[in-house]
Every structure is written in structure tokens, then in C-alpha cells.
Amino acid sequence: MMASEKEIFSLTGPTFLTSIDWNNSHHRRSVAASLVQGVYTMERDRQQNRHGPQALAMPWWQFFNFKLNQILVDNHDLSYFGAIYEFNVPYPYHSYPGQRPPQYVIAFRGTIKKPGNREQDFKLNLHFMLNNLNNSTRYLTGLESVREIAYRAGPENVWLAGHSLGASIALLIGRDMVKHTKMNLETYLFNPPFASLPIEKITNEKLRHGLRFASSVLTAGLAVATGGGNSNRGEDVFDVLSTWVPYLFLNPSDPICSEYVGYFEHREKMESMGAGRIGRLATKHSIGSIVRGKDCEAGHLIPCAYLSINLSPSQSFKEAHGIHQWRQDLQFNYKLFQYN
């Protein structure tokens, strides 16, 4: 079977980055996206029995001076779902002024809709929708690896990256590292899924805002009724997480991730209306997590983020949701959202 062009670095990789400026956010984004693509391509190499000169994955990390430290394997279907990359230059990096390259990057792929992958990948997507992805082998394996590396190398030397389902895993790991170890990892989340109806796709602004307002009031009311709105129950999770600002890369034409745009913008709008308390309370909860009980957290909800929104037109859902778009030179809208 012939390889897809998107798997071949020389055809679709950011080959223009012959010299990486680690102070340049566009360069860092392209590198992170390429390392995630490396995981996808490794899994396709495995599926297609491509070995040696026929294997296509290696250029996706070697071009940026990384080496493959470890492959993360799902013990249910034996697929490659993640990788640990190590920068080839010995640490510490005295020759890099300002922002330094990461010593390690842990990257996670998303769903592959091919035989041999789709059954387990779709099952994990369902776990995400039910807010129990944190019970999956992929999450637990990834978390164990990240903890070990972060303790050994220091959190300032470690990046997390993921696309789609892999972004959900990376987000959960990043959240838990902050909550339980107080370690903030630089995190790149490409097209992270948002477990909600895609209200952002509604073109009528008044209807869209009305639905969001009604949803916020309902969610906040349920949270208060079930004890989730009681601020005296110990340290607030969002206060703890507010020290961590992951990078979210979103395409408004992608219904899987576009709701993050509305999620953050609506909280700002509620503040401007004088309904900030309702907005902040609703922002911490989902109706699904409330219904499932006090021990069920909505793992996709975060207090802070640096949003990069791709303003370039997409011709299809596949293009809008694809990892390949984030390796290119794009037109972006940027916005930092913080939690007060």
C-alpha cells in the first residue's frame, strides 16, 4: 500500500525550518506538530510493516535534532500511541540564548480510522465523552512516563504535545501534573476535543449567546445544588490549575475543538455583563460531570489557555481537524485567557 503524502516529511514537513529559533513561537509550534506526526507515522510504519529504508517516521524528529527515546505502546491493541523524544544536544544548552529547546518531548497521536486501530481508538473517544479517559491504559502509561521524566529532568525541560484524542490525553496529564506535583509543563494541544454540543458553529450570534447563557445558568445551578459551588470545600481546582497556561491550537471549522473558543470567550462576556460568578462557576463544571457525581471531573475544562485560532479557510472537516495544518505558515488570531 502506498504511503500518504502527509506521512512523507520531504513532501509535507516544515523543511523550511533549516535553523530553529527556539524563541519563535511559530517554530516551536511546527516542531511540536511534527513530533506528533512522527507518532502517527510510526504507527503507520508498524501497520504497513515498513522497516529500514522503507520506514517513514524518523525524519519527523531527526530533522529537528531529536532522537527517539521510547515508544509508548497500548497493551490492548499493541499500537504505538505515543513517543518520548530526547534532544540530541547534551544538556545543559549553554549555546541557546533565551528560550531553550526541550530536553524531552512526550507526544501523543490521535485517532486512526484504519483497521487495527479504529476499534480501540473509538472506544477511547467514548471514554473521553464519558469523562473517564483517566482510567485508560494510554493515560496511565503516559502519566507514569511523564512523571518519571519530569522528576528526573525538571519540568522546565519537558514538553507535552498531542493531537485530537492525543491532545485529550496530554491535557489530562498536564492537569494532573499541576494538581498533584505542582509541576507546570509547556503543553501544545492541537485540535483538542471539547465534550459538548458545538454551539460555536451556530452563526446567529444572539441565539449562540442565549444558548450559552442558559447553559451557564443551568450548569452553575446544578453545581450549587449538588455542592459543587461551595467554595469552602478545600483548595479550588481551578485556582491550582491557573498557574498552567497550555497552548491550544484551534480551527473554527472543526466542530470537535471549536467549542473551546466559545468556552473562553463566553466567560469573558459573562464578566462584562456582571454575571462573572455564574460564568466562573459554570466554567469549572460540565452537566455530564455533575450528573455522574462529585468525584467525576470534567477533564477537558481548564481555567487558562493561550489560544491560536487558524483563520485560513479549510475545504473539509478532514483538513480542519488535521495535524498537518499546524506545521505550515498560517494566519492566526491569538488570545490569552487567564482566570481571576
Side-chain angles (χ1 to χ4, degrees):
M1 184 181 294
M2 287 189 63
S4 163
E5 281 191 3
K6 292 171 185 174
E7 296 173 348
I8 302 172
F9 183 83
S10 61
L11 296 180
T12 59
T15 52
F16 59 91
L17 290 179
T18 52
S19 178
I20 305 296
D21 177 3
W22 293 100
N23 295 297
N24 187 314
S25 61
H26 298 295
H27 288 197
R28 298 202 307 276
R29 166 190 36 94
S30 293
V31 171
S34 295
L35 295 178
V36 173
Q37 179 63 58
V39 184
Y40 276 108
T41 308
M42 264 197 297
E43 173 56 14
R44 294 302 294 150
D45 281 346
R46 184 190 75 87
Q47 287 277 355
Q48 299 298 318
N49 293 312
R50 298 188 299 233
H51 304 287
Q54 284 74 45
L56 300 173
M58 194 175 292
W60 288 102
W61 58 83
Q62 277 195 341
F63 186 84
F64 307 106
N65 213 15
F66 284 90
K67 62 184 177 182
L68 182 62
N69 179 285
Q70 184 182 341
I71 300 173
L72 303 180
V73 181
D74 187 320
N75 62 7
H76 288 97
D77 62 1
L78 302 181
S79 68
Y80 299 163
F81 72 91
I84 301 171
Y85 301 105
E86 184 177 356
F87 198 57
N88 255 325
V89 177
Y91 183 82
Y93 313 133
H94 297 300
S95 59
Y96 292 95
Q99 180 93 20
R100 299 179 304 182
Q103 190 177 356
Y104 293 94
V105 179
I106 302 93
F108 303 94
R109 68 165 174 86
T111 302
I112 297 178
K113 302 175 185 177
K114 304 280 187 184
N117 292 112
R118 61 184 168 216
E119 181 180 351
Q120 180 65 7
D121 286 2
F122 286 174
K123 188 186 298 183
L124 289 168
N125 283 315
L126 179 60
H127 281 301
F128 164 76
M129 294 299 295
L130 296 174
N131 284 322
N132 62 3
L133 188 58
N134 58 336
N135 293 322
S136 69
T137 300
R138 292 190 192 181
Y139 164 76
L140 295 171
T141 301
L143 178 61
E144 182 181 1
S145 299
V146 170
R147 277 180 175 166
E148 190 275 324
I149 288 173
Y151 277 117
R152 174 159 48 87
E156 69 278 5
N157 298 311
V158 180
W159 284 10
L160 285 176
H163 172 247
S164 192
L165 174 62
S168 298
I169 294 171
L171 190 154
L172 279 175
I173 291 172
R175 274 176 119 256
D176 277 12
M177 290 296 290
V178 179
K179 282 169 54 183
H180 302 303
T181 70
K182 308 300 184 187
M183 291 185 181
N184 295 347
L185 304 181
E186 190 161 327
T187 304
Y188 294 81
L189 305 173
F190 302 99
N191 301 85
F194 192 96
S196 168
L197 293 173
I199 298 174
E200 191 63 20
K201 298 296 290 178
I202 297 173
T203 54
N204 186 306
E205 187 175 351
K206 285 186 177 179
L207 176 59
R208 190 168 68 239
H209 176 63
L211 286 172
R212 288 198 193 285
F213 184 82
S215 176
S216 291
V217 171
L218 176 60
T219 303
L222 285 172
V224 170
T226 56
N230 187 350
S231 61
N232 298 318
R233 296 191 310 157
E235 196 169 23
D236 185 278
V237 172
F238 263 37
D239 286 341
V240 175
L241 291 174
S242 63
T243 60
W244 177 54
V245 186
Y247 296 93
L248 271 60
F249 298 89
L250 311 173
N251 189 315
S253 298
D254 175 14
I256 290 177
C257 73
S258 62
E259 194 56 24
Y260 268 111
V261 178
Y263 168 75
F264 282 106
E265 288 183 348
H266 180 66
R267 190 175 71 196
E268 269 194 352
K269 194 168 288 187
M270 293 289 279
E271 290 280 358
S272 68
M273 292 168 53
R277 187 172 182 275
I278 293 173
R280 287 191 298 276
L281 185 54
T283 255
K284 303 177 189 179
H285 302 276
S286 72
I287 291 175
S289 64
I290 293 171
V291 168
R292 291 183 187 90
K294 64 180 180 180
D295 295 325
C296 181
E297 270 188 42
H300 62 290
L301 301 184
I302 47 178
C304 306
Y306 193 87
L307 268 54
S308 298
I309 302 168
N310 183 2
L311 300 180
S312 305
S314 299
Q315 302 304 314
S316 64
F317 163 73
K318 190 174 182 180
E319 185 178 324
H321 190 65
I323 184 66
H324 56 280
Q325 65 186 299
W326 306 111
R327 304 192 295 265
Q328 302 165 6
D329 192 12
L330 300 168
Q331 183 183 359
F332 283 117
N333 183 25
Y334 302 100
K335 187 69 182 287
L336 172 64
F337 291 92
Q338 294 181 302
Y339 183 78
N340 298 313

